[in-house]
Amino acid sequence: MSAIAGRVALVTGGSRGVGLQMAQALGQAGARVMLTARKAQELDAAASMLRSQGITAHTVAADSSDPEQIREVVDQTLQQFGAVDILINNAGLAKIGPSETMPLEDWYQQVDVMYNGVFLCMQSVGRVMLEQQKGVILSISSIGGLGAWPMRQAYNSAKAAVISLTENIGCEWARRGVRVVSVAPGVTRTAMLQQMVDEGIATLKKYNDRTPMGRVAEVDEIAKAVQFLVSDRASYITATT
């Protein structure tokens, strides 16, 4: 039997890209999944695709940076499944530009979704997991959170904050049955990457050339790492990226 069979996974930003692929990987391993994102139509299409593969999937549209909406997501997950065993913090976006002209709206949006939103989800789901005395919280950071690149001030600093949250809250809850980990992918072939290429912000060749393997990561490769980290096979891994 799979190490996560029957468990309940809540995935933010779960309607497409890495989020959907992670939900699929967890579902294929026997988990029941709740997908959340802002756009209900995209969520419904994602859940329909998962169900066609025999995966138990439900959805609730929400903004992960809104505390009231996140509490509602958790409540609906508990009503549907009776527990939350795994939280995948994946919601994100990237808006790149010179620091001196960065619109404050773009700054606040990225920080709200990828920093504040991650904490709000950790806090709300964490309360449930601490009461259960078990659970795993996994957040998607980025190699951007470990280094510096021009014009990525909001994205990189928010992802660095995810790494710090992982370490701090992971240590705090380590003896209370809740593991907290994060994954920092390199450049991955997603719709977000393709949009940057289409807009002329980046080139696939440049990303490929600076990578040891000469190629960007595939979404499925990130999902497989996540599948391991949220399972009991990773039971001694916490408070780390």
Side-chain angles (χ1 to χ4, degrees):
M1 180 179 289
S2 162
I4 58 174
R7 296 186 184 174
V8 178
L10 169 59
V11 183
T12 75
S15 61
R16 58 181 179 171
V18 176
L20 179 55
Q21 194 77 38
M22 288 187 291
Q24 183 180 38
L26 296 176
Q28 289 172 342
R32 297 168 291 166
V33 300
M34 176 68 85
L35 306 178
T36 184
R38 288 180 299 171
K39 298 179 180 178
Q41 189 172 355
E42 291 185 3
L43 280 172
D44 290 342
S48 179
M49 184 272 285
L50 295 178
R51 292 185 194 119
S52 72
Q53 300 176 11
I55 296 169
T56 300
H58 294 274
T59 69
V60 53
D63 179 346
S64 64
S65 65
D66 184 313
E68 295 289 340
Q69 293 186 41
I70 288 304
R71 282 193 286 271
E72 179 63 22
V73 169
V74 175
D75 287 346
Q76 289 198 33
T77 304
L78 291 173
Q79 289 173 22
Q80 185 68 48
F81 297 116
V84 186
D85 303 301
I86 299 164
L87 166 65
I88 306 293
N89 273 317
N90 171 71
L93 70 155
K95 294 188 176 182
I96 295 170
S99 296
E100 67 272 22
T101 57
M102 166 68 70
L104 289 181
E105 180 182 354
D106 290 352
W107 169 269
Y108 288 129
Q109 185 180 23
Q110 291 179 88
V111 171
D112 278 346
V113 171
M114 293 183 291
Y115 179 24
N116 296 335
V118 166
F119 175 72
L120 291 172
C121 291
M122 281 184 171
Q123 184 182 61
S124 193
V125 174
R127 292 182 181 125
V128 176
M129 291 181 171
L130 291 168
E131 187 174 339
Q132 296 172 168
Q133 297 185 318
K134 63 177 182 178
V136 184
I137 295 172
L138 184 144
S139 301
I140 299 299
S141 179
S142 166
I143 58 167
L146 297 165
W149 286 268
M151 300 193 294
R152 288 164 172 79
Q153 63 301 96
Y155 183 88
N156 283 12
S157 59
K159 291 301 188 180
V162 169
I163 293 170
S164 183
L165 279 175
T166 297
E167 294 169 352
N168 282 278
I169 298 178
C171 286
E172 183 179 344
W173 292 347
R175 299 189 181 188
R176 300 174 68 185
V178 179
R179 293 194 298 111
V180 184
V181 295
S182 65
V183 172
V187 180
T188 305
R189 194 186 306 276
T190 63
M192 186 185 296
L193 172 62
Q194 189 58 53
Q195 181 181 349
M196 291 171 64
V197 171
D198 292 344
E199 293 176 356
I201 297 171
T203 68
L204 198 56
K205 182 181 186 304
K206 183 177 180 179
Y207 285 134
N208 289 340
D209 288 347
R210 77 181 193 190
T211 306
M213 287 188 177
R215 65 174 180 83
V216 298
E218 298 298 334
V219 173
D220 184 60
E221 293 172 310
I222 308 304
K224 287 175 181 175
V226 168
Q227 186 187 60
F228 163 72
L229 285 168
V230 300
S231 77
D232 289 344
R233 292 173 293 165
S235 58
Y236 201 59
I237 300 175
T238 195
T240 193
T241 296

